[in-house]
Amino acid sequence: MVISAEPIIYGIVFIAVLVLVEGIYLTVFGKSISLNRKVNRRLELLEKGQGREQVLEQLRKEMTQHMKSSSIPIYAILAAKAQKANIAFSPNKLIMMMGVMAVIAFIGLTVGTETSPMIRFAVSIGMGVGGIYVWVNNKAKKRIGLIEEQLPDAVELMVRSLRVGHPFSSAIAIVAKEVADPLGSEMGVISDESAYGRDLSESLKDLSERMDMQDLRFLAVAVTIQQQSGGNLAEILDGLAKVIRARFRLFRRVKAITAEAKWSGMFLSGFPLLALVAINVIQPNYYDEVKETSVFIPACLVVAGFLITNIFVMRSLTNIKV
């Protein structure tokens, strides 16, 4: 029995691409992009002696640079994700990273496999683009999750500031100083924009659309309504903080309830592919007798269709809207 290691090598090369991307990112930007530091990046830049206007311009450029490049064909697939993740790499550097990762993957496949050059080239391109997309998507999910956790505490801090007599612009500035990243720098940008004359409700609306978060939309709408109709903003935000916290608890509860079903769905979706890889590793010649038959290709297409349908069905069964 001849064991083929090529399917395993494909997986190892893809994982190596992901690890290499993360390593390069941390090497280039280091501590400045860490999500766990105590001080947020805006305050860090101000402490280094940069002027408030220069810091605002730099942060706004970083926050909007990715969507401005969404017209680039290859980059369009991850522009929105990169914007949510606030990736410090510029769009040009991310595209260059895709090319570098594709070259590295091609070298790895050339060394480890005997596949034809055209197949290695196509797979390398897929690994380069797919590896960057998976990495950016994970960064975006992590950052959005952190903002969702920070938002109820930030709104309650605004409420306490308003109740002791501070205006809403000062309450935003206090949140920008007291809350860590990623929300701290986002609120800092809003505070600086307000200091230079921009309406707070517009800044909050832009933030909610850029992050695509319903809770931030609630905050922007609440501030807009209070500005137009009047009322006690502290009481409005206090009620909003309770709603956001209750929604967050509900999301976590739904996530816990559906966790088993999601893992079952992932297993049922991935097991046929794992079984196919295992068969090719243990007995590479297993399908040789049927490869030349007229029904082999149609049967493969039917199986692929069922697998794809299974993924969508499993996702719809576990994707509960709340």
Side-chain angles (χ1 to χ4, degrees), residues 36 52 70 93 99 104 109 117 139 142 176 190 231-232 234 281 295:
N36 299 318
R52 188 176 183 182
S70 59
K93 289 180 180 178
I104 293 174
L109 294 176
K139 290 285 185 183
K142 185 176 181 179
I190 293 175
N232 190 335
V281 169
V295 297

Side-chain angles (χ1 to χ4, degrees), residues 25-264:
Y25 193 64
L26 293 177
T27 301
V28 174
F29 295 100
K31 189 178 178 181
S32 66
I33 48 83
S34 173
L35 297 175
N36 299 318
R37 60 188 180 278
K38 295 181 180 179
V39 63
N40 62 56
R41 185 160 180 265
R42 172 177 167 272
L43 294 181
E44 189 176 352
L45 292 173
L46 290 172
E47 289 175 357
K48 290 180 179 179
Q50 297 189 33
R52 188 176 183 182
E53 185 176 356
Q54 287 75 21
V55 172
L56 174 61
E57 183 179 355
Q58 179 178 344
L59 293 178
R60 290 186 66 180
K61 180 181 178 181
E62 292 175 359
M63 293 173 179
T64 59
Q65 62 179 340
H66 299 288
M67 288 307 296
K68 290 180 179 179
S69 302
S70 59
S71 59
I72 301 175
I74 297 178
Y75 195 73
I77 61 175
L78 54 80
K81 298 289 185 181
Q83 178 176 273
K84 292 177 184 178
N86 198 26
I87 298 297
F89 280 136
S90 66
N92 291 335
K93 289 180 180 178
L94 272 179
I95 294 174
M96 184 176 66
M97 286 289 293
M98 290 181 187
V100 171
M101 293 302 108
V103 171
I104 293 174
F106 183 81
I107 294 173
L109 294 176
T110 301
V111 173
T113 68
E114 297 180 356
T115 314
S116 65
M118 289 302 297
I119 294 178
R120 290 201 304 268
F121 178 78
V123 173
S124 299
I125 295 296
M127 285 187 176
V129 177
I132 296 294
Y133 180 84
V134 170
W135 177 74
V136 171
N137 187 50
N138 289 336
K139 290 285 185 183
K141 287 182 178 179
K142 185 176 181 179
R143 189 166 187 267
I144 292 296
L146 285 174
I147 292 177
E148 289 175 344
E149 290 183 12
Q150 292 177 311
L151 189 58
D153 293 332
V155 176
E156 288 178 350
L157 182 56
M158 294 178 198
V159 172
R160 292 194 293 271
S161 301
L162 292 171
R163 284 176 174 170
V164 299
H166 292 293
F168 185 60
S169 58
S170 297
I172 293 287
I174 291 172
V175 171
K177 291 180 180 179
E178 298 297 330
V179 177
D181 272 349
L183 189 59
S185 291
E186 295 285 355
M187 288 297 175
V189 169
I190 293 175
S191 176
D192 290 341
E193 288 177 341
S194 173
Y196 287 107
R198 190 180 188 190
D199 187 69
L200 280 170
S201 60
E202 292 182 3
S203 298
L204 287 170
K205 183 179 179 182
D206 284 350
L207 173 61
S208 65
E209 294 301 325
R210 181 156 42 85
M211 293 291 103
D212 193 22
M213 285 181 56
Q214 193 64 38
D215 292 337
L216 283 173
R217 291 191 181 97
F218 290 156
L219 177 60
V221 170
V223 173
T224 301
I225 292 175
Q226 191 277 336
Q227 288 180 344
Q228 295 176 354
S229 305
N232 190 335
L233 183 58
E235 294 299 324
I236 295 173
L237 294 183
D238 184 47
L240 178 61
K242 294 177 181 177
V243 170
I244 293 174
R245 199 174 292 279
R247 278 168 50 84
F248 186 73
R249 286 198 301 265
L250 180 59
F251 288 146
R252 286 296 180 90
R253 185 177 180 183
V254 170
K255 186 177 181 180
I257 293 173
T258 59
E260 182 180 355
K262 287 182 177 180
W263 279 105
S264 298

Side-chain angles (χ1 to χ4, degrees), residues 3-14 109 112-113 115 127 273-274 276-282 284:
I3 297 179
S4 174
E6 288 194 4
I8 299 176
I9 292 173
Y10 280 95
I12 292 174
V13 170
F14 185 72
L109 294 176
T113 68
T115 314
M127 285 187 176
L273 298 178
L274 293 176
L276 180 63
V277 171
I279 291 172
N280 281 276
V281 169
I282 296 172

